[in-house]
Amino acid sequence: MEHTYLKALGKSEVRIPSIGMGTWGIGGYGTRDTSRDKEAVEALQQGIELGMWLIDTAEMYGAGHSEELVGQAIKDSPREKVFIISKVLNTHLEYKEVIKACQRSLERLQTDFIDLYLIHFPSYRIPLEETMGAMENLVEQGLVRFIGVSNFPLNLMKEAQGYLGKTEIQANEVKYNLKCRYDEKDLLPYCQRERVTLIAYTPLEEGSLADNKLLQEVGKKYGKTAAQVALNWLICKENVITIPKAVNLRHLQENAEAMGWRISQEDLAQLSAAF
Ligand SMILES: NC(=O)c1ccc[n+]([C@@H]2O[C@H](COP(=O)([O-])OP(=O)(O)OC[C@H]3O[C@@H](n4cnc5c(N)ncnc54)[C@H](OP(=O)(O)O)[C@@H]3O)[C@@H](O)[C@H]2O)c1
């Protein structure tokens, strides 16, 4: 049975925390917001200390400011002690644009490479083959270690893989939580069979699962909170990791402590059936 602290990334040998940190809203949402920079950098550093040393960001978040804050937060960590995910927006999917977008992200992150680089959303305008060629080129140049996709349905993810030569798609980042189970039908079983990491975003349904009565009830048995049960339900699944976003220090602590233990099979089944 897979560990609920460290898991393999896709088919690679690299092991990553099953709970990392999301950054949508850190440094702004669709626009740059510098009003909470200090708090955000401290929260990211605290999360790394707590074992959530995987950070999910994107060129889109805070119009680039999120990546700048991640860069500040990891500046003093040895680079191999953090795992950085970033994403190229679907308006930059032409070959040359992908390369340029990645270079800009590297500058904002103040680092030489991104651990996992994802296509944020599919584009129905730019041929996928062109984009995948550029993604593979980034790996060849050493600017990114691994590549993947986000918000890709199964058929498109398979198509994307078909355009790659030596490189593998190691992850697909999709919305997945107790209330949002669309991908359980096809995508999740495929990812588990073919060893592609499914990165579950919005795992707390933007915080609302933290107040859920049934989750609180189940949590009492384990001495855990509702949010911890919601996160553990995800990471108990093979090949699934998750990236809750938290700035509040109590939330960060709670999220980190959702790793390293397991809900019983019986309780997992009860939860899956109840939602
Ligand atoms: N690839 C994509 O298209 C895509 C789309 C959406 C999201 N994402 C990624 O996934 C990450 C997570 O998703 P999300 O930000 O949409 O939603 P989320 O992680 O489900 O929820 C974040 C909210 O929950 C609160 N929270 C965090 N931990 C908590 C806890 N233990 N108890 C109670 N409340 C808690 C946070 O509050 P505080 O901040 O105040 O602590 C914040 O308001 C994003 O930040 C982003 O990195 C990716």
Side-chain angles (χ1 to χ4, degrees), residues 22-24 56 61 87 120-121 150-151 173 201-207 210 227 243-248 251 254-255:
T23 61
W24 173 235
D56 176 79
Y61 298 175
K87 316 184 197 80
H120 206 149
F121 300 96
S150 176
N151 300 300
E173 183 172 310
Y201 74 66
T202 319
L204 298 172
E205 194 57 50
E206 296 176 353
I243 45 168
K245 174 257 172 188
V247 174
N248 176 305
H251 290 165
E254 229 180 280
N255 298 349

Side-chain angles (χ1 to χ4, degrees), residues 5 17-23 26 36 38-56 73 204 210 224-225 227-228 231 242-259 261:
Y5 177 49
S18 61
I19 300 186
M21 292 184 282
T23 61
I26 288 186
R36 294 176 71 187
K38 189 167 173 285
E39 184 189 5
V41 170
E42 281 171 6
L44 290 168
Q45 288 176 333
Q46 185 73 36
I48 293 170
E49 287 276 305
L50 290 166
M52 296 185 290
W53 44 269
L54 176 149
I55 306 178
D56 176 79
L204 298 172
K224 298 287 180 184
T225 65
Q228 289 172 325
L231 296 174
T242 190
I243 45 168
K245 174 257 172 188
V247 174
N248 176 305
L249 293 186
R250 186 176 57 79
H251 290 165
L252 280 169
Q253 180 98 38
E254 229 180 280
N255 298 349
E257 289 174 8
M259 291 188 275
W261 57 284

